[in-house]
Amino acid sequence: LDESAIRQIASGDIDAFKELVIALKDEERRRFLHYHPYVKQLEFHSSHATERILSGANQSGKSLGGCMETCFHLTGQYPDWWTGHRVEPRVNATNGEKEINGWVIGTDSKTVRDSLQSKIIGTEGRGFRDGCIHPDYIMTESILKSRGVVGLVDTVYIKHKSGCNVKLQFRSYEQGRENLQSATIDFVYCDEEPPADLIGELRARLGATGGFMYMAFTPLKAVSARVLG
């Protein structure tokens, strides 16, 4: 705040105070750039493995870490401490255009909407202005809504620092393997452990691009090969 604004607020100027509140809320929407991981999260983000798992107890910051990393890849804006994967546009061999495709996938459609979409791009009810990605980066006119679940986004484009718009799609495990086929993706964030029969399909989607997969979950079920590995 400059000195003039401070004086206005101190004098009881209601309009100046409202402008301050708007500015603070606007800055808060950019909070993915102010994310500071704890040690385990930092180790997870720094790894260049093609498949990574952030595992821990409930409410330990797993989903937060996964969503924050997703925001970095979608916008191409990485914090100074970042040493992990960076997503750059690649050329589509079919049409010669540059593109980036990303998936966010969770257990079921309502969970994807309420726990993942809401964190990353926000909610329909609030005009997609309440997520971690600032609305200036969200091409709301590109939003394709999913059928069957009110407020769930199927596809949206995010403005990337490179000038290439990132195609973001929200998916769920309940949709089954068939609905994950025939796509080419650069990265995928899995919230909660994917069913075993879907892992191969996700790997196939990433194979053509040399992309990567990262997961965040609490291993509540039997210890799987992914957890042991």
Side-chain angles (χ1 to χ4, degrees):
L1 291 176
D2 58 33
E3 188 174 338
S4 175
I6 293 174
R7 283 200 302 269
Q8 285 181 295
I9 293 170
S11 68
D13 188 322
I14 299 300
D15 290 335
F17 179 75
K18 288 180 178 179
E19 288 180 9
L20 172 62
V21 171
I22 291 172
L24 290 173
K25 288 184 176 179
D26 196 58
E27 179 60 27
E28 179 64 13
R29 294 191 193 101
R30 304 176 192 269
R31 61 187 175 274
F32 75 93
L33 294 176
H34 302 296
Y35 164 63
H36 295 289
Y38 60 76
V39 174
K40 189 172 182 180
Q41 288 171 324
L42 183 59
E43 291 175 352
F44 169 74
H45 296 312
S46 299
S47 171
H48 282 256
T50 55
E51 293 182 21
R52 292 173 285 133
I53 298 173
L54 180 58
S55 180
N58 288 325
Q59 303 301 314
S60 61
K62 303 181 305 300
S63 292
L64 175 64
C67 287
M68 293 302 99
E69 175 165 340
T70 301
C71 291
F72 300 151
H73 298 320
L74 290 172
T75 62
Q77 298 191 55
Y78 296 90
D80 293 339
W81 52 262
W82 187 265
T83 59
H85 283 290
R86 289 177 182 251
V87 179
E88 299 292 343
R90 57 179 170 74
V91 177
N92 184 309
T94 302
N95 57 29
E97 297 181 357
K98 291 184 177 181
E99 67 178 24
I100 300 173
N101 297 324
W103 276 3
V104 170
I105 183 168
T107 54
D108 58 77
S109 297
K110 288 187 177 180
T111 300
V112 170
R113 180 194 63 190
D114 298 340
S115 298
L116 301 175
Q117 176 191 310
S118 63
K119 282 190 181 76
I120 296 170
I121 64 169
T123 58
E124 180 182 20
R126 296 187 178 179
F128 300 101
R129 301 187 65 83
D130 54 334
C132 289
I133 293 181
H134 192 278
D136 286 353
Y137 301 113
I138 301 171
M139 302 178 68
T140 53
E141 70 278 7
S142 73
I143 290 177
L144 174 64
K145 297 177 184 177
S146 181
R147 297 179 180 177
V149 178
V150 176
L152 176 62
V153 170
D154 178 282
T155 305
V156 61
Y157 283 84
I158 306 296
K159 297 177 183 177
H160 191 269
K161 185 178 180 180
S162 67
C164 171
N165 297 322
V166 181
K167 183 179 182 180
L168 168 63
Q169 293 180 291
F170 291 96
R171 295 289 182 262
S172 67
Y173 305 141
E174 70 177 0
Q175 290 176 303
R177 182 170 182 169
E178 294 77 12
N179 286 293
L180 303 180
Q181 294 175 339
S182 304
T184 300
I185 54 177
D186 298 278
F187 66 93
V188 56
Y189 166 46
C190 300
D191 189 75
E192 300 304 336
E193 185 174 9
D197 63 327
L198 297 187
I199 286 292
E201 195 61 49
L202 293 173
R203 287 171 177 161
R205 301 305 105 227
L206 295 162
T209 65
F212 56 92
M213 181 186 337
Y214 50 106
M215 312 176 199
F217 61 83
T218 300
L220 296 176
K221 301 178 182 179
V223 178
S224 66
R226 282 181 295 286
V227 174
L228 292 174

